[in-house]
């Protein structure tokens, strides 16, 4: 059973078939009821006409034997007085029910059916002699005509004749109604299963055709998973429906995944290359010191160790950022953070001037934002000619930190490339002086994690101007 309902195709087919079945049953029932009601009304109209026709003759005081009552099976008629005695009856009418009077053996003392006549003078509409009542009583019963018993719709019309009130009963057969309803019911019982089979087959075929591209996408995704070839793409249908959008979204996801994997591979390769140099240098110095203690360069070994430690810290931070680590911490004063970070720096080549006021607050990680400020100042120290300036200000809803130097600046075509990992624009610069090319990449990633941006442009006095923009928060009320 689970396998039967396990596919979308099967569930769609079963669901569509059930909905159509319910709709057809409801519609068929309504049609049958409407058909039966219309045919009964037609029979009632026929009985009404016959009853009034005979009642008009009775009102004209036509003798009962001269009434010329219809003698066919379609219009049985009988005339009774207020006591229920039979006065006239159609030829070949042997027995009748539903009128309160036996057509063959009338019983004058038998009680009348309250709904099938009246008792003449006491109740009902007051009539003058020879007047026909406007009211028509109706009922259903059976009549036996010439040996054949069938169901009839009866109509009764009262006539005031001298001192007695007579009732004319006329019937119309319900055989046409029963036959039509029975035929329609048979057709529906035969046609409904056939129609449901057609609906199920069409739904099964249409659903299969609609889901065929989905199966193609599934097979290609399975092949991509098995081959680990992220360069492959799923087929995109030429239609503009949901399946086509699914295929385009899947291919976009594969493209992003391929780019991410390639980025990780490049990152691992570059990190291995960057780690190899300081580790090899440190090993060489230690091996030389082991063989010739007098030649051991302790200062160089310490420098290589510090550089290796900084590189490892950068790589670990990038790995955490790539893993989706979100900044934690509360609100902090960005101006105070910048001043504290700059005041703790030692060994800078050029002095750093800080402009700005306290009270520019942001929300985020104090350690990560301090790392951004430090990386930007380190970059400015490497490229400045004589000065480095840091400014903190509020600009609308944003907090802005700008770091400017008076160096050569960054060429416009390279202003996005410098934020890529392991990128150095000054290839002639040594690795020891130029760093590993991770500082600006880390700064931009941290800015993005805090909902901000980091861009570079030309400073008004020349050189490079790095501008960090972060969402500001309103200062807390005392």
């Amino acid at each position: 059973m689970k396998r039967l309902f396990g596919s979308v195709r099967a569930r769609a087919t079963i669901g569509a078939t059930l909905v159509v079945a319910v709709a057809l049953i409801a519609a068929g029932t309504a049609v049958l009821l409407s058909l039966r009601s219309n045919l009964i009304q037609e029979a009632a109209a026929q009985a009404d006409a016959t009853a009034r026709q005979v009642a008009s003759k009775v009102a004209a005081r036509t003798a009962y034997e001269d009434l010329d009552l219809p003698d066919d099976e379609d219009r049985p008629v009988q005339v009774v007085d207020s006591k229920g005695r039979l006065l006239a009856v159609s030829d070949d009418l042997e027995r009748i029910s539903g009128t309160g009077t036996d057509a063959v053996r009338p019983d004058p003392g038998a009680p009348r059916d309250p709904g099938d006549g009246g008792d003449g003078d006491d109740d009902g509409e007051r009539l003058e002699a020879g007047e026909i009542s406007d009211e028509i009583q109706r009922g259903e019963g059976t009549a036996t005509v010439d040996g054949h018993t069938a169901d009839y719709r009866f109509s009764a019309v009262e006539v005031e004749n001298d001192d007695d009130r007579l009732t004319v009963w006329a019937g119309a057969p319900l055989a046409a109604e029963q036959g039509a309803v029975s035929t329609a019911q048979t057709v529906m019982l035969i046609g409904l299963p056939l129609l449901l089979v057609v609906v199920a087959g069409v739904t099964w075929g249409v659903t299969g055709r609609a889901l065929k591209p989905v199966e193609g996408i599934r097979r290609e995704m399975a092949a991509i998973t098995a081959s680990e070839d992220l360069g492959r793409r799923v087929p995109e249908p030429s239609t503009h429906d949901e399946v086509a959008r699914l295929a385009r979204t899947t291919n976009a996801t594969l493209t992003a995944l391929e780019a991410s994997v390639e980025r990780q591979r490049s990152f691992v390769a570059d990190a291995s290359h960057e780690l190899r140099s300081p580790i090899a240098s440190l090993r060489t110095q230690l091996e030389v010191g082991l063989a010739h203690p007098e030649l051991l360069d302790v200062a160089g070994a310490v420098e290589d160790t510090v550089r290796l430690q900084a590189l490892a810290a950068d790589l670990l931070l990038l790995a955490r950022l790539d893993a989706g680590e979100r900044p934690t911490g509360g609100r902090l004063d960005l101006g105070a953070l910048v001043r504290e970070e700059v005041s703790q720096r030692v060994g800078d080549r050029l002095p750093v001037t800080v402009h700005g006021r306290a009270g520019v607050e942001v929300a985020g990680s104090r350690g990560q934002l301090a790392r951004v400020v430090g990386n930007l100042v380190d970059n400015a120290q490497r490229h400045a000619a004589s000065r480095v300036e840091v400014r903190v200000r509020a600009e609308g809803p944003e907090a802005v930190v700008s770091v400017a130097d008076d160096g050569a600046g960054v060429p416009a075509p390279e202003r996005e490339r410098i934020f890529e990992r392991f990128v150095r624009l000054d290839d002639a610069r040594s690795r020891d002086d130029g760093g590993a090319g991770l500082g600006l990449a880390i700064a931009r990633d941290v800015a993005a994690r805090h909902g901000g941006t980091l861009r570079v442009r030309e400073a008004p006095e020349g050189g490079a101007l790095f501008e960090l923009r972060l969402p500001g928060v309103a200062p807390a009320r005392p």
Side-chain angles (χ1 to χ4, degrees):
M1 185 62 67
K2 290 184 178 180
R3 290 179 61 88
L4 177 62
F5 294 96
S7 67
V8 175
R9 190 178 187 183
R11 292 197 298 270
T13 301
I14 294 174
T17 305
L18 289 177
V19 170
V20 173
V22 172
L24 289 178
I25 291 174
T29 302
V31 168
L32 290 176
L33 292 176
S34 177
L35 177 62
R36 184 177 184 276
S37 175
N38 290 335
L39 292 176
I40 289 178
Q41 289 179 5
E42 183 178 348
Q46 181 181 348
D48 292 350
T50 302
R52 285 195 172 277
Q53 181 181 1
V54 174
S56 64
K57 295 180 181 180
V58 173
R61 293 180 172 80
T62 303
Y64 299 132
E65 60 271 12
D66 297 331
L67 284 177
D68 191 19
L69 301 178
D71 59 358
D72 55 7
E73 296 182 3
D74 292 341
R75 295 185 297 170
V77 176
Q78 69 174 7
V79 180
V80 298
D81 62 9
S82 60
K83 302 299 184 180
R85 292 176 299 206
L86 186 64
L87 302 179
V89 65
S90 298
D91 294 340
D92 299 328
L93 178 59
E94 301 173 4
R95 186 171 298 278
I96 191 170
S97 66
T99 65
T101 301
D102 192 314
V104 177
R105 291 182 296 274
D107 183 4
R112 295 288 311 276
D113 188 340
D116 293 329
D119 53 4
D121 299 329
D122 296 332
D123 299 322
E125 183 181 4
R126 293 185 176 274
L127 301 175
E128 299 294 335
E131 188 177 358
I132 302 173
S133 173
D134 293 332
E135 298 179 358
I136 298 179
Q137 303 176 44
R138 295 187 179 92
E140 291 186 10
T142 62
T144 303
V145 181
D146 197 17
H148 299 286
T149 303
D151 294 329
Y152 284 80
R153 179 74 172 178
F154 293 107
S155 296
V157 177
E158 294 183 346
V159 180
E160 190 69 27
N161 189 6
D162 296 332
D163 295 332
D164 197 5
R165 179 170 294 188
L166 308 182
T167 304
V168 178
W169 287 93
L174 295 177
E177 173 265 331
Q178 294 171 348
V181 172
S182 178
T183 302
Q185 186 175 0
T186 302
V187 170
M188 290 180 182
L189 291 177
I190 296 175
L192 179 60
L194 296 178
L195 185 57
L196 292 180
V197 170
V198 172
V199 170
V202 171
T203 305
W204 181 268
V206 171
T207 308
R209 185 178 181 84
L211 293 177
K212 186 176 181 180
V214 178
E215 178 61 20
I217 294 173
R218 187 202 65 78
R219 284 197 302 266
E220 186 63 24
M221 287 297 294
I224 292 173
T225 303
S227 64
E228 298 183 357
D229 181 10
L230 296 178
R232 300 173 61 172
R233 296 293 181 266
V234 301
E236 294 186 11
S238 58
T239 58
H240 300 281
D241 55 9
E242 292 82 355
V243 177
R245 291 196 292 271
L246 171 63
R248 288 192 290 270
T249 302
T250 302
N251 284 335
T253 302
L254 288 173
T255 300
L257 183 60
E258 182 184 18
S260 177
V261 171
E262 289 299 326
R263 184 180 182 186
Q264 290 296 328
R265 290 174 179 171
S266 177
F267 175 74
V268 172
D270 291 338
S272 301
H273 181 73
E274 292 293 334
L275 288 171
R276 187 180 298 114
S277 296
I279 292 176
S281 174
L282 182 60
R283 177 180 178 180
T284 299
Q285 294 180 55
L286 292 177
E287 288 177 346
V288 170
L290 184 62
H292 305 282
E294 69 279 3
L295 300 178
L296 177 62
D297 184 7
V298 177
V302 171
E303 184 178 352
D304 283 341
T305 302
V306 172
R307 182 166 177 264
L308 183 61
Q309 181 182 13
L311 181 57
D314 288 344
L315 294 175
L316 290 174
L317 178 57
L318 283 174
R320 292 199 305 271
L321 293 176
D322 287 342
E325 179 182 274
R326 294 293 179 182
T328 57
R331 54 197 303 156
L332 53 92
D333 190 321
L334 194 58
L337 173 66
V338 170
R339 291 185 179 277
E340 180 181 352
E341 179 66 20
V342 171
S343 66
Q344 293 178 355
R345 297 178 63 87
V346 294
D348 281 343
R349 183 173 63 89
L350 298 172
V352 180
T353 305
V354 179
H355 303 278
R357 59 181 179 81
V360 180
E361 295 189 348
V362 297
S365 169
R366 184 179 188 86
Q368 291 185 7
L369 292 178
R371 184 71 168 275
V372 172
V373 174
N375 288 355
L376 294 179
V377 174
D378 288 341
N379 181 76
Q381 287 285 343
R382 285 194 293 269
H383 298 86
S386 60
R387 61 185 177 84
V388 175
E389 291 185 353
V390 181
R391 296 181 180 271
V392 182
R393 67 184 187 278
E395 199 170 283
E398 295 181 323
V400 182
V401 178
S402 58
V403 180
D405 63 69
D406 58 352
V410 181
E414 304 290 343
R415 288 178 182 173
E416 285 299 318
R417 183 169 172 265
I418 61 173
F419 293 105
E420 297 178 6
R421 299 173 183 183
F422 302 104
V423 170
R424 303 181 186 85
L425 298 184
D426 46 355
D427 292 335
R429 187 184 297 273
S430 68
R431 291 183 184 275
D432 292 338
D433 294 335
L438 293 177
L440 295 180
I442 291 175
R444 171 166 277 191
D445 283 355
V446 171
R449 297 296 180 187
H450 283 76
T453 59
L454 176 61
R455 303 183 184 277
V456 61
R457 57 185 177 87
E458 185 177 355
E461 299 82 6
L465 175 63
F466 286 84
E467 201 169 67
L468 170 67
R469 291 180 175 269
L470 298 172
V473 296
R477 294 183 179 180

